[in-house]
Amino acid sequence: MRLKVILPQLDAGGKTIAIINKEDAEELGVYPLDRIVLKKGSRCITVIVNITNKFVKRGEIVVYEEVREMLSLKNGNYLTATPRGELISKQYIKKKVLGKSLGYKEFKAISLDVMERDLNDLELASFITALTINGMSLNENVAMTKVMADMSDKLQFPGIVADKHSIGGVPGDKTSLLVVPIAAAAGLTVPKTSSRAITDPAGTADRMEVLAPVDLGREEMKKVVKKTMGCLVWGGSVELAPVDDLFIQIERPLSLDPLLIPSVISKKKVVGAMSVVIDIPEGLYAKVKTGYEFRKMSRMFMHTGKKLGIRVKCVKTSAEQPVGYALGPSLEAREALQSLINIETAPYDLIQKVTRIAGEMLKINRMGDEKTVVKIWKSGIAEKKMRQIIEAQGGDPMIMPEDIEIGKYSMPIRSVKSGIVKAMNNKILVYVAKAAGAPKDKAAGILLNKKLGSRVRKNDILFTIYAQKSHKFRLASRIAKKEKIFEMR
Amino acid sequence: MRLKVILPQLDAGGKTIAIINKEDAEELGVYPLDRIVLKKGSRCITVIVNITNKFVKRGEIVVYEEVREMLSLKNGNYLTATPRGELISKQYIKKKVLGKSLGYKEFKAISLDVMERDLNDLELASFITALTINGMSLNENVAMTKVMADMSDKLQFPGIVADKHSIGGVPGDKTSLLVVPIAAAAGLTVPKTSSRAITDPAGTADRMEVLAPVDLGREEMKKVVKKTMGCLVWGGSVELAPVDDLFIQIERPLSLDPLLIPSVISKKKVVGAMSVVIDIPEGLYAKVKTGYEFRKMSRMFMHTGKKLGIRVKCVKTSAEQPVGYALGPSLEAREALQSLINIETAPYDLIQKVTRIAGEMLKINRMGDEKTVVKIWKSGIAEKKMRQIIEAQGGDPMIMPEDIEIGKYSMPIRSVKSGIVKAMNNKILVYVAKAAGAPKDKAAGILLNKKLGSRVRKNDILFTIYAQKSHKFRLASRIAKKEKIFEMR
């Protein structure tokens, strides 16, 4: 069917979508979200079809920016539309829905069609849900990890390449900002990529961005690592797992995470890591709630890593309260930098976590242990390494904690009674920090005064809210006063 | 956040969608597919948000037709956007994904948000997939049936209201076109609604439309039934289960059907049926493949019906070949009308199926049995009743089979060998009939010459293809010649 192109000058979030008239759709025998092939000259692409009976006339086709670009279309151009047969990947998704296992070939077909944007949102959501409910076997995790790794260009770094990863779930976790320079100072190559915040007030990339640019390309990242043996860059701009980035666009809105293991291990494979330490926080509100779940997940990580030639060590950490005292990019970067400069000023739990994770990284590579970590940290070599990394990424190597600006609006939240802190509600803390503007407003967040086990007297400051914008400040303060965050005994 | 309205003059297939700039989205703290509340004056609605960093400037918002209409927007108007908190229905969907059961309150909350278009496509696909994998218990089927029925205005009809339903899976099934007039002639009230074809060359509504209009509104339908005690109308225009229509928009592209029982039984409840006979075709390519599956499904139908006060009888029928000889709306309407006029000309399997289904409808209401059916059929009263219904729906009551026009292009497909027909491939038959233009081209389709058990000599005509349009005719003929449809022994 020949159709005349109408360009609305809108994009479809990367998807290849076209809208046609209802009569034309019936003529083609297609329903909403079916696929049609559009051909112009020698070029042809598959698009997902939307149908209207009002805004697009018969004989017309509205295409969004992605399709316009791929076919170099102009308003009024003509193209040919034909229905596309059933995708084989759709049958594989159905197979998983029906409870059967998938292999490399099938995950590959699905992933390729995801990259081509040929599968629609419904099919992808169905796939992610089926993976969640029916689970991923060891063989499936290995197959999908290989698919993801094979679809990415490998990066090569000199030396003993080691990495760490946290599966998340603890607010205020600035561990990587200390672990990377310490491990690099100890002689490992640590090409660390990390994500921005999704549900938290800050991700590692957001924290590091306060100290130096993090959106480096592949070549820039290579240069930084070659020069300093480490880096702390945003994973998004390095494109370690392009297909995983597309799966995440489906997983995030559903709050489902069935591809955790392939997602983590494939990226480590792509940066050439020989070993990786996985931090698995355990707690009531974390992804892992029991020792049984920890052992199950940690076995899956280890075995999948082994099949990919990566030694994996999983470490169980606590998710019951934030790490350290700061929440929000600037406050956390300041706390991390201060702690790195002077271990005496570092929060106890941050020291524990950093020495544990970095210690495991050294042990697995027979390059030391927790004592080595503390020695390097105290010696000032780690701080120096961090400043080299900051400089190599384009930041100011002389930056001091007090140079980091904090939100000009602040309000202390005081205790209405005395006691000892028995529990704190991470979820509401995060909610308040985000209401205050974090992570978008880097200088916004929360500074805790009390943590679990702290003795509190009436009117003591429990925490202070910081914000850059007055309306967010008012909102955060209102929530903080209303909600119960600290539980005393 | 105040945003300036831009109207692209496009609709979003009934969804309430808006597009904002990436920076504004970060400021609001929302991600793609999150929900925001748009307020203009005293009116406010929830929309699903899409995000662009190019085509929509900061401070602008693009809204599609649905939103424009609901808020009476003009280009350049301003409205206020605020993030909307998490939907409780989203948590219920997650609950089902995690394998827990849902109750009335939860299905209700989900269904209301579906009607409001507040849940996005990913969430709905996840829900449908979770229902498929984790299954629906009897209590869940009953709860969801009640929710669907409660969300619809009930229709009231005089007399003993009886209904029938086929769960589908057999091409050429024109049974309803005979069962409805026979059952109505026997004294039952049969307010039959049916669907148009989805995967078949014709649905009951498509077949009936050859004889009379089927897109009647509720009031028109009531009048027809009051006058004739029966009708054969398209379910879509009567809006028996508006929320189910929205679920079907998700189920169809996924080829999943977890809400079959609530979907069927709730509609029967809404038309006030006291009894319903469910036709469950069993076969290798049907929804139900084994006797075990039949018994399981039929128990679920019966028990759910009972809880809603409807007597349900499930009948197992064969799905191994088309019913009768005709495929495609006009060919099927012609065959049905001819069979109704003269039972002697009716295909054997059609007679069997009609007497079985109509017989059960009479038996369950103690108004006769299969013998009564044959008597009414042979007497000519059933034909007269059908002509009354055709006239009441606005068709020509004098219509004769030979008045029904059939596609002008036709080609007989002949056998290349002799034997007895052992099996026929329904899937390819359907594919050929659809390629020929059915159901969009009413006069297109297939007329079989041979069926299972037929003796075939070399060069005998196996079937004839009919089409209205030459290019579809060529396509269908090409497929028919290439594919193996009949298997001989």
Side-chain angles (χ1 to χ4, degrees), chain B residues 427-465:
Chain B
K427 227 174 147 177
I428 300 177
L429 268 180
V430 163
Y431 182 39
V432 172
K434 290 180 78 173
K440 168 79 176 159
D441 301 343
K442 285 215 157 17
I446 283 177
L447 205 52
L448 298 168
N449 262 43
K450 305 288 180 182
K451 295 198 45 168
L452 293 183
S454 297
R455 185 170 295 279
V456 176
R457 275 167 307 185
K458 200 180 162 182
N459 277 328
D460 273 2
I461 297 175
L462 292 171
F463 60 93
T464 306
I465 300 171

Side-chain angles (χ1 to χ4, degrees), chain B residues 254-274:
Chain B
L254 293 175
S255 322
L256 299 178
D257 196 12
L259 294 170
L260 173 65
I261 286 167
S263 167
V264 172
I265 301 293
S266 69
K267 284 179 191 137
K268 303 311 178 193
K269 185 72 193 170
V270 170
V271 299
M274 301 159 198

Side-chain angles (χ1 to χ4, degrees), chain A residues 242-432:
Chain A
V243 69
D244 190 43
D245 292 345
L246 295 174
F247 282 123
I248 289 170
Q249 289 184 14
I250 306 296
E251 294 168 324
R252 193 206 52 75
L254 293 175
S255 321
L256 299 178
D257 197 11
L259 294 170
L260 173 66
I261 285 168
S263 167
V264 172
I265 301 294
S266 68
K267 284 179 192 137
K268 302 310 178 193
K269 185 72 193 170
V270 171
V271 299
M274 302 159 196
S275 68
V276 54
V277 174
I278 312 253
D279 169 11
I280 303 183
E282 185 194 301
L284 208 56
Y285 299 105
K287 287 181 197 173
V288 166
K289 293 177 177 53
T290 62
Y292 169 76
E293 284 176 25
F294 170 78
R295 284 188 299 278
K296 206 175 131 193
M297 182 180 283
S298 112
R299 257 199 310 272
M300 197 57 96
F301 263 121
M302 263 176 52
H303 289 151
T304 305
K306 202 173 171 187
K307 296 275 180 185
L308 275 282
I310 300 173
R311 267 168 302 149
V312 174
K313 169 80 188 178
C314 291
V315 173
K316 182 159 72 175
T317 57
S318 160
E320 56 180 354
Q321 63 176 341
V323 179
Y325 293 92
L327 297 180
S330 297
L331 287 157
E332 293 193 46
R334 200 175 67 168
E335 185 177 54
L337 186 58
Q338 178 60 51
S339 298
L340 198 58
I341 293 171
N342 185 357
I343 194 172
E344 307 292 334
T345 65
Y348 176 76
D349 57 346
L350 180 60
I351 299 177
Q352 289 298 309
K353 189 158 187 177
V354 169
T355 50
R356 181 81 202 283
I357 307 277
E360 292 293 350
M361 288 175 74
L362 297 186
K363 274 196 261 180
I364 207 173
N365 289 295
R366 296 179 196 284
M367 294 186 57
D369 56 15
E370 304 199 351
K371 281 182 198 143
T372 325
V373 171
V374 175
K375 218 172 70 187
I376 292 173
W377 189 343
K378 283 190 172 164
S379 70
I381 313 179
E383 180 197 342
K384 206 176 141 196
K385 178 57 75 182
M386 184 61 167
R387 295 195 179 281
Q388 285 172 8
I389 295 172
I390 291 173
E391 184 170 25
Q393 289 190 199
D396 171 13
M398 310 296 281
I399 189 168
M400 291 304 287
E402 48 276 23
D403 300 334
I404 298 170
E405 223 170 290
I406 301 302
K408 62 179 172 183
Y409 299 97
S410 74
M411 163 170 308
I413 303 291
R414 293 172 187 277
S415 182
V416 292
K417 58 179 184 180
S418 303
I420 286 168
V421 181
K422 194 177 77 178
M424 44 207 299
N425 191 323
N426 287 347
K427 228 174 148 177
I428 300 178
L429 267 179
V430 164
Y431 182 39
V432 172

